Amino acid sequence: MKKVSTYLPSLILSIFLVLALFGSLAMTIFDINVTAKKAKALSEKKELSSKVITQLNKHYREQAAATGIPANVFMDNISEEYIDSVIDAYIDGTFTAMKTNRSLNVQVPKNPAMEEALEKFFGDYADSIGYEKNEAFYRKLDNTKTNAYKNIGSCCDVFKASSLGKHGLLSKASKLYRLRPLLTFASVGGAVLLMLFILAVNWKDKRPFLYWTGIAAVISGIFGTVPSIYLVSTKYFDSFSIKQPQVFTAYTASMYRLTEAFMAVSISLLVIGIALIVIYGVSYRKNKRIADSTHSAPEKNEADTN
């Protein structure tokens, strides 16, 4: 293994292999976990709909004095199932925007029960004060419905894709997201290619291939495991300054899920690397014993002859 003709190329290739393995782990985890399906599952698991309802209830109670509309006119007709459907609509819209590099375009699902409650409230109030139901009346009613849907949509946009779009960040994220299959293929393919190069360099004696590949896997595993353990153990993402509970939960839970997944595969890679090095060590010692016994055999025979 220490021949310059094989040692130096193997060393250089293993350094590049460390980077390739680390990159392939990161891209694979990103590709698998950053999907609309995973985001919806996270929303359901973390009960984001209940957090949204709490925020909406707080908002309408605070606004009741200014608008004259009791909070229950809205909230009695907003269920968790409905909020789940709005959250899902925004998640689908966000990923569609990233896939197509277009502006976010989400239609908040209609809520007939809420609209009917608003119509009844406006009608009853107008009747109680003798107000004529003219064009201004219906314009005010329509504006109230429109603002209700806007407010519901804003609260249900748990990843704040609308804000990201306004600041141009969604477009930047779209470029990376659309490149993810290519980047994943390139990183994984690069790692495999580097391992084949190491095998080719050590073609006459293939055992060092286990050593160099194992070393690269161990180092990559350590690079992935140590920072991940730090981020999870210190609850680093809890320091995010986000006021809305549903948005805070959506982002921090997503970051912890990605970090924990990356930590798990990094630990697996570390274990595989150690196993390869152990296999190499066992193979090396076994081969050395065979070589020593082969060299000592002629000497013994020569002594017996004398």
Side-chain angles (χ1 to χ4, degrees):
M1 188 183 74
K2 293 187 178 181
K3 292 181 180 179
V4 176
S5 60
T6 59
Y7 183 86
L8 189 57
S10 297
L11 176 61
I12 295 172
L13 289 170
S14 65
I15 293 173
F16 285 110
L17 182 57
V18 170
L19 300 176
L21 288 173
F22 186 84
S24 63
L25 289 183
M27 285 309 306
T28 301
I29 292 300
F30 180 81
D31 196 17
I32 292 174
N33 288 276
V34 183
T35 65
K37 183 178 180 180
K38 293 283 187 179
K40 290 177 184 178
L42 178 71
S43 172
E44 183 178 354
K45 180 179 179 180
K46 295 299 179 179
E47 299 180 339
L48 297 186
S49 57
S50 65
K51 291 179 172 59
V52 169
I53 286 179
T54 299
Q55 284 295 105
L56 286 172
N57 190 46
K58 178 183 177 183
H59 170 78
Y60 284 122
R61 288 187 181 280
E62 292 174 349
Q63 294 296 313
T67 63
I69 306 174
N72 65 288
V73 175
F74 298 95
M75 299 311 301
D76 286 352
N77 301 284
I78 297 177
S79 64
E80 288 194 10
E81 290 76 14
Y82 172 70
I83 293 300
D84 279 330
S85 70
V86 182
I87 292 175
D88 289 350
Y90 267 91
I91 290 174
D92 286 331
T94 300
F95 280 90
T96 297
M98 289 197 296
K99 289 176 182 177
T100 60
N101 196 24
R102 295 177 181 175
S103 300
L104 181 69
N105 183 20
V106 178
Q107 296 295 325
V108 177
K110 293 295 183 181
N111 187 331
M114 182 186 70
E115 291 190 24
E116 185 178 341
L118 284 170
E119 290 169 1
K120 185 177 185 307
F121 173 80
F122 270 72
D124 291 346
Y125 181 75
D127 292 339
S128 68
I129 63 173
Y131 186 83
E132 181 184 356
K133 297 178 183 178
N134 53 19
E135 184 180 345
F137 169 85
Y138 288 107
R139 185 164 55 247
K140 177 67 174 177
L141 175 59
D142 289 340
N143 287 338
T144 302
K145 291 179 183 178
T146 300
N147 289 333
Y149 284 123
K150 284 183 179 179
N151 189 50
I152 291 171
S154 177
C155 287
C156 290
D157 184 9
V158 294
F159 290 101
K160 286 301 171 189
S162 298
S163 298
L164 294 176
K166 290 178 181 177
H167 292 87
L169 297 176
L170 191 62
S171 178
K172 294 178 181 179
S174 173
K175 293 177 182 179
L176 175 62
Y177 188 77
R178 286 181 290 123
L179 284 173
R180 80 192 190 288
L182 177 61
L183 293 174
T184 302
F185 176 80
S187 58
V188 174
V192 173
L193 192 61
L194 285 167
M195 285 189 281
L196 290 176
F197 283 157
I198 294 174
L199 182 61
V201 168
N202 297 277
W203 186 252
K204 292 183 179 180
D205 183 7
K206 299 180 181 62
R207 285 173 298 120
F209 166 77
L210 298 174
Y211 173 80
W212 291 112
T213 304
I215 286 293
V218 167
I219 296 174
S220 295
I222 292 173
F223 280 171
T225 301
V226 173
S228 298
I229 291 176
Y230 171 79
L231 293 174
V232 173
S233 63
T234 61
K235 298 187 181 300
Y236 177 81
F237 301 116
D238 287 356
S239 62
F240 283 5
S241 180
I242 302 175
K243 293 181 179 179
Q244 291 182 301
Q246 71 273 24
V247 179
F248 175 84
T249 302
Y251 270 103
T252 56
S254 296
M255 296 306 297
Y256 281 123
R257 185 185 65 189
L258 289 172
T259 303
E260 288 167 359
F262 186 67
M263 179 173 64
V265 295
S266 296
I267 292 173
S268 298
L269 184 63
L270 175 61
V271 172
I272 291 172
I274 293 173
L276 290 174
I277 294 173
V278 169
I279 293 172
Y280 166 77
V282 172
S283 175
Y284 179 80
R285 286 194 294 271
K286 181 178 179 181
N287 188 71
K288 190 174 185 301
R289 284 198 300 269
I290 294 174
D292 291 342
S293 63
T294 302
H295 291 150
S296 62
E299 296 177 0
K300 184 177 180 181
N301 292 336
E302 184 178 348
D304 293 341
T305 303
N306 294 334

